[in-house]
Amino acid sequence: MNNPSAGHDTGMPAYPDTLIACVQTHPVMGDVAANLARSTALIEEAAARGAKLVVLPELANTGYMFASRDEAHALAEPVPTGPSSQAWIALAQRLGIFLVAGITERDGDKLYNAAIVAGPRGYLGTYRKLHLWGDENLFFEAGNLGLPVFDTEIGKLAVAICYDGWFPEVFRLQAMQGADIVAVPTNWVPMPGQTPDGPAMAHSLAIAAAHSNGLTIACADRVGVERGQPFVGRSLIAGSQGWVVAGPASHDQEEILIAAVNLKKARHGRQLNAFNHVLRDRRGDVYDPMLGSGYPRLAR
């Protein structure tokens, strides 16, 4: 029997909804074992609720406010061979999910604010934050792995971390490489002029990027105050047409946000009307569609 939701587009397979989850946590600075245990419990809960992609916050295994480079170096781990990576990879395999988790990475003497990407068949890759914020510049190297896009059963998956979201080029290049979903581990801090109950600048940026690129953007933030630094929480999932499909979460509680994503509808939704498509309408005669990156152009 034909799937009624396929409508007249019988030439395309019908894609079921996929549930994606953002896990908002409250890490304990420096307590990797406790942070792993808590993240494991919340990931298991998200998977039990049907999530096939789970996103954790930035630096979810260590906390964020390092007192010194020595402390950061002592807490950092190699990826994917370190204990945090191995625990998360095994969890993704056991639960049959895809997992994106912020991690403090050590590669030789260099440190990176990174995210590990794992799936049902194990380790998929690493993303390293391109744009460092504040004192991160004292501890981390800027990312050197570019903007990889991972092919998965739930669609093409990309990653950005926190301040990366302030740069529209990041989302554009991911979308032009064919990304469907961008997982954003983040540790949002209040921006100048931002009030506790007012709009969050990060929300506006994620919503705008989702709409202008036809991407689902899943932002998993943390909560709490760490060594005097407050974090805003309010994790959010913006659907591929820019509308909020889950959240914002609270500003001070651990939570799991879950939203349904339909790959077929999302890709078709980039066609705004009979004339306009958010990616194909780009003026390649005026500017380089791939921004000089050299990445392959695979946008749909």
Side-chain angles (χ1 to χ4, degrees), residues 110-151:
K110 294 182 178 180
L111 304 181
Y112 295 95
N113 184 336
I116 183 170
V117 183
R121 290 186 291 277
Y123 172 70
L124 295 179
T126 302
Y127 172 77
R128 291 172 173 168
K129 187 175 184 179
L130 296 179
H131 305 91
L132 302 180
W133 173 264
D135 284 356
E136 290 177 38
N137 288 277
L138 301 176
F139 312 123
F140 297 118
E141 306 292 331
N144 59 359
L145 299 179
L147 292 164
V149 175
F150 302 95
D151 289 304

Side-chain angles (χ1 to χ4, degrees), residues 77-100:
E77 304 174 8
V79 174
T81 58
S84 298
S85 295
Q86 288 295 298
W88 281 328
I89 292 168
L91 188 61
Q93 290 177 302
R94 175 167 64 84
L95 298 175
I97 63 170
F98 293 93
L99 176 64
V100 178

Side-chain angles (χ1 to χ4, degrees), residues 80-258:
T81 58
S84 298
S85 295
Q86 288 295 298
W88 281 328
I89 292 168
L91 188 61
Q93 290 177 302
R94 175 167 64 84
L95 298 175
I97 63 170
F98 293 93
L99 176 64
V100 178
I103 189 168
T104 305
E105 180 191 8
R106 183 175 66 247
D107 182 6
D109 290 330
K110 294 182 178 180
L111 304 181
Y112 295 95
N113 184 336
I116 183 170
V117 183
R121 290 186 291 277
Y123 172 70
L124 295 179
T126 302
Y127 172 77
R128 291 172 173 168
K129 187 175 184 179
L130 296 179
H131 305 91
L132 302 180
W133 173 264
D135 284 356
E136 290 177 38
N137 288 277
L138 301 176
F139 312 123
F140 297 118
E141 306 292 331
N144 59 359
L145 299 179
L147 292 164
V149 175
F150 302 95
D151 289 304
T152 77
E153 293 91 327
I154 61 171
K156 292 181 178 292
L157 174 64
V159 182
I161 298 178
C162 200
Y163 188 44
D164 287 332
W166 267 248
F167 298 87
E169 297 89 346
V170 169
F171 296 114
R172 180 68 80 192
L173 286 172
Q174 290 167 332
M176 294 299 290
Q177 291 183 83
D180 299 298
I181 302 167
V182 181
V184 183
T186 189
N187 278 184
W188 289 328
V189 299
M191 299 300 293
Q194 184 171 315
T195 61
D197 299 325
M201 184 60 67
H203 291 172
S204 299
L205 293 166
I207 289 167
H211 175 73
S212 61
N213 292 288
L215 293 169
T216 296
I217 300 180
C219 305
D221 198 12
R222 61 158 293 171
V223 294
V225 177
E226 188 175 273
R227 293 177 172 169
Q229 174 62 63
F231 297 91
V232 304
R234 302 172 73 184
S235 299
L236 182 94
I237 303 175
S240 60
Q241 292 187 316
W243 305 113
V244 175
V245 293
S250 71
H251 71 280
D252 61 354
Q253 300 295 315
E254 292 189 324
E255 291 184 44
I256 299 173
L257 297 182
I258 294 184

Side-chain angles (χ1 to χ4, degrees), residues 234-282:
R234 302 172 73 184
S235 299
L236 182 94
I237 303 175
S240 60
Q241 292 187 316
W243 305 113
V244 175
V245 293
S250 71
H251 71 280
D252 61 354
Q253 300 295 315
E254 292 189 324
E255 291 184 44
I256 299 173
L257 297 182
I258 294 184
V261 172
N262 188 290
L263 179 61
K264 180 180 176 183
K265 290 180 181 177
R267 288 180 178 174
H268 282 208
R270 292 172 179 169
Q271 187 75 44
L272 301 178
N273 55 47
F275 296 98
N276 298 114
H277 186 286
V278 293
L279 297 179
R280 294 181 192 140
D281 286 346
R282 302 193 75 217

